[in-house]
mmCIF file of all heavy atoms in Angstrom:
data_model
loop_
_atom_site.group_PDB
_atom_site.id
_atom_site.type_symbol
_atom_site.label_atom_id
_atom_site.label_comp_id
_atom_site.label_asym_id
_atom_site.label_seq_id
_atom_site.Cartn_x
_atom_site.Cartn_y
_atom_site.Cartn_z
ATOM 1 N N ALA N 133 0.702 17.352 9.167
ATOM 2 C CA ALA N 133 -0.675 17.152 9.393
ATOM 3 C C ALA N 133 -1.230 15.883 8.668
ATOM 4 O O ALA N 133 -2.069 15.176 9.259
ATOM 5 C CB ALA N 133 -1.502 18.384 8.935
ATOM 6 N N ILE N 134 -0.782 15.636 7.461
ATOM 7 C CA ILE N 134 -1.454 14.575 6.666
ATOM 8 C C ILE N 134 -0.610 13.378 6.248
ATOM 9 O O ILE N 134 -1.118 12.433 5.723
ATOM 10 C CB ILE N 134 -2.161 15.144 5.430
ATOM 11 C CG1 ILE N 134 -1.125 15.603 4.407
ATOM 12 C CG2 ILE N 134 -3.122 16.259 5.827
ATOM 13 C CD1 ILE N 134 -1.714 15.931 3.014
ATOM 14 N N ALA N 135 0.695 13.419 6.504
ATOM 15 C CA ALA N 135 1.581 12.311 6.057
ATOM 16 C C ALA N 135 1.144 11.045 6.827
ATOM 17 O O ALA N 135 0.778 11.069 8.001
ATOM 18 C CB ALA N 135 3.046 12.631 6.316
ATOM 19 N N ASP N 136 1.298 9.902 6.098
ATOM 20 C CA ASP N 136 1.020 8.615 6.680
ATOM 21 C C ASP N 136 2.134 8.194 7.657
ATOM 22 O O ASP N 136 1.883 7.430 8.595
ATOM 23 C CB ASP N 136 0.861 7.522 5.576
ATOM 24 C CG ASP N 136 -0.275 7.834 4.668
ATOM 25 O OD1 ASP N 136 -1.396 8.023 5.136
ATOM 26 O OD2 ASP N 136 -0.006 7.996 3.460
ATOM 27 N N HIS N 137 3.336 8.600 7.338
ATOM 28 C CA HIS N 137 4.503 8.194 8.125
ATOM 29 C C HIS N 137 5.426 9.378 8.336
ATOM 30 O O HIS N 137 5.829 10.011 7.335
ATOM 31 C CB HIS N 137 5.175 7.020 7.449
ATOM 32 C CG HIS N 137 6.352 6.479 8.189
ATOM 33 N ND1 HIS N 137 6.186 5.729 9.314
ATOM 34 C CD2 HIS N 137 7.673 6.523 7.978
ATOM 35 C CE1 HIS N 137 7.396 5.364 9.788
ATOM 36 N NE2 HIS N 137 8.320 5.877 8.952
ATOM 37 N N LEU N 138 5.787 9.634 9.569
ATOM 38 C CA LEU N 138 6.726 10.699 9.905
ATOM 39 C C LEU N 138 8.005 10.085 10.432
ATOM 40 O O LEU N 138 7.982 9.126 11.254
ATOM 41 C CB LEU N 138 6.186 11.641 10.974
ATOM 42 C CG LEU N 138 4.869 12.313 10.656
ATOM 43 C CD1 LEU N 138 4.323 13.000 11.887
ATOM 44 C CD2 LEU N 138 5.030 13.309 9.489
ATOM 45 N N ARG N 139 9.152 10.625 9.980
ATOM 46 C CA ARG N 139 10.458 10.125 10.489
ATOM 47 C C ARG N 139 11.365 11.277 10.688
ATOM 48 O O ARG N 139 11.586 12.106 9.760
ATOM 49 C CB ARG N 139 11.097 9.187 9.482
ATOM 50 C CG ARG N 139 12.449 8.697 9.893
ATOM 51 C CD ARG N 139 13.033 7.689 8.918
ATOM 52 N NE ARG N 139 14.417 7.487 9.245
ATOM 53 C CZ ARG N 139 15.440 7.843 8.415
ATOM 54 N NH1 ARG N 139 15.166 8.368 7.240
ATOM 55 N NH2 ARG N 139 16.678 7.579 8.788
ATOM 56 N N GLU N 140 11.912 11.443 11.902
ATOM 57 C CA GLU N 140 12.905 12.481 12.179
ATOM 58 C C GLU N 140 14.272 11.968 11.837
ATOM 59 O O GLU N 140 14.710 10.906 12.300
ATOM 60 C CB GLU N 140 12.811 12.888 13.646
ATOM 61 C CG GLU N 140 13.723 14.028 14.002
ATOM 62 C CD GLU N 140 13.574 14.476 15.439
ATOM 63 O OE1 GLU N 140 13.122 13.692 16.293
ATOM 64 O OE2 GLU N 140 13.907 15.638 15.686
ATOM 65 N N VAL N 141 14.998 12.756 11.026
ATOM 66 C CA VAL N 141 16.379 12.505 10.715
ATOM 67 C C VAL N 141 17.154 13.400 11.684
ATOM 68 O O VAL N 141 17.035 14.570 11.683
ATOM 69 C CB VAL N 141 16.733 12.821 9.295
ATOM 70 C CG1 VAL N 141 18.181 12.511 8.951
ATOM 71 C CG2 VAL N 141 15.782 12.083 8.308
ATOM 72 N N ARG N 142 17.991 12.764 12.512
ATOM 73 C CA ARG N 142 18.578 13.528 13.618
ATOM 74 C C ARG N 142 20.006 14.028 13.280
ATOM 75 O O ARG N 142 20.743 13.455 12.546
ATOM 76 C CB ARG N 142 18.669 12.654 14.860
ATOM 77 C CG ARG N 142 17.244 12.296 15.336
ATOM 78 C CD ARG N 142 17.288 11.492 16.538
ATOM 79 N NE ARG N 142 15.885 11.214 16.886
ATOM 80 C CZ ARG N 142 15.497 10.849 18.077
ATOM 81 N NH1 ARG N 142 16.358 10.704 19.058
ATOM 82 N NH2 ARG N 142 14.203 10.615 18.331
ATOM 83 N N THR N 143 20.290 15.201 13.859
ATOM 84 C CA THR N 143 21.573 15.817 13.806
ATOM 85 C C THR N 143 21.826 16.433 15.237
ATOM 86 O O THR N 143 20.920 16.440 16.039
ATOM 87 C CB THR N 143 21.733 16.795 12.711
ATOM 88 O OG1 THR N 143 23.110 17.208 12.536
ATOM 89 C CG2 THR N 143 20.890 18.061 12.930
ATOM 90 N N ILE N 144 23.035 16.866 15.471
ATOM 91 C CA ILE N 144 23.383 17.322 16.800
ATOM 92 C C ILE N 144 23.835 18.777 16.876
ATOM 93 O O ILE N 144 24.433 19.265 15.934
ATOM 94 C CB ILE N 144 24.438 16.397 17.489
ATOM 95 C CG1 ILE N 144 25.695 16.356 16.631
ATOM 96 C CG2 ILE N 144 23.865 15.038 17.715
ATOM 97 C CD1 ILE N 144 26.861 15.698 17.335
ATOM 98 N N CYS N 145 23.562 19.366 17.972
ATOM 99 C CA CYS N 145 24.018 20.708 18.315
ATOM 100 C C CYS N 145 25.532 20.622 18.728
ATOM 101 O O CYS N 145 26.013 19.513 18.980
ATOM 102 C CB CYS N 145 23.204 21.234 19.484
ATOM 103 S SG CYS N 145 23.651 22.867 20.120
ATOM 104 N N TRP N 146 26.190 21.742 18.774
ATOM 105 C CA TRP N 146 27.598 21.758 19.187
ATOM 106 C C TRP N 146 27.795 21.139 20.571
ATOM 107 O O TRP N 146 28.874 20.602 20.914
ATOM 108 C CB TRP N 146 28.172 23.153 19.193
ATOM 109 C CG TRP N 146 27.542 24.147 20.130
ATOM 110 C CD1 TRP N 146 26.509 24.975 19.906
ATOM 111 C CD2 TRP N 146 27.888 24.322 21.492
ATOM 112 N NE1 TRP N 146 26.206 25.685 20.975
ATOM 113 C CE2 TRP N 146 27.010 25.294 22.007
ATOM 114 C CE3 TRP N 146 28.826 23.740 22.368
ATOM 115 C CZ2 TRP N 146 27.085 25.725 23.346
ATOM 116 C CZ3 TRP N 146 28.919 24.182 23.668
ATOM 117 C CH2 TRP N 146 28.028 25.179 24.153
ATOM 118 N N CYS N 147 26.729 21.162 21.413
ATOM 119 C CA CYS N 147 26.843 20.645 22.791
ATOM 120 C C CYS N 147 26.623 19.114 22.858
ATOM 121 O O CYS N 147 26.770 18.488 23.919
ATOM 122 C CB CYS N 147 25.812 21.328 23.687
ATOM 123 S SG CYS N 147 24.087 20.930 23.331
ATOM 124 N N GLY N 148 26.201 18.526 21.709
ATOM 125 C CA GLY N 148 25.936 17.077 21.710
ATOM 126 C C GLY N 148 24.501 16.689 21.852
ATOM 127 O O GLY N 148 24.135 15.529 21.611
ATOM 128 N N ARG N 149 23.612 17.623 22.201
ATOM 129 C CA ARG N 149 22.200 17.325 22.236
ATOM 130 C C ARG N 149 21.614 17.402 20.861
ATOM 131 O O ARG N 149 22.202 17.927 19.934
ATOM 132 C CB ARG N 149 21.514 18.353 23.181
ATOM 133 C CG ARG N 149 21.901 18.203 24.599
ATOM 134 C CD ARG N 149 21.416 19.236 25.579
ATOM 135 N NE ARG N 149 20.049 19.739 25.301
ATOM 136 C CZ ARG N 149 19.546 20.799 25.952
ATOM 137 N NH1 ARG N 149 20.227 21.448 26.834
ATOM 138 N NH2 ARG N 149 18.326 21.189 25.661
ATOM 139 N N LYS N 150 20.399 16.800 20.762
ATOM 140 C CA LYS N 150 19.729 16.771 19.429
ATOM 141 C C LYS N 150 19.465 18.200 18.977
ATOM 142 O O LYS N 150 18.886 18.995 19.733
ATOM 143 C CB LYS N 150 18.417 16.005 19.509
ATOM 144 C CG LYS N 150 17.685 15.909 18.246
ATOM 145 C CD LYS N 150 16.489 15.020 18.312
ATOM 146 C CE LYS N 150 15.325 15.728 19.033
ATOM 147 N NZ LYS N 150 14.043 14.988 18.891
#
Side-chain angles (χ1 to χ4, degrees):
I134 70 167
D136 300 303
H137 183 70
L138 301 171
R139 177 176 168 246
E140 184 176 23
V141 181
R142 297 182 180 198
T143 191
I144 58 170
C145 177
W146 65 266
C147 68
R149 291 172 39 188
K150 181 174 78 169

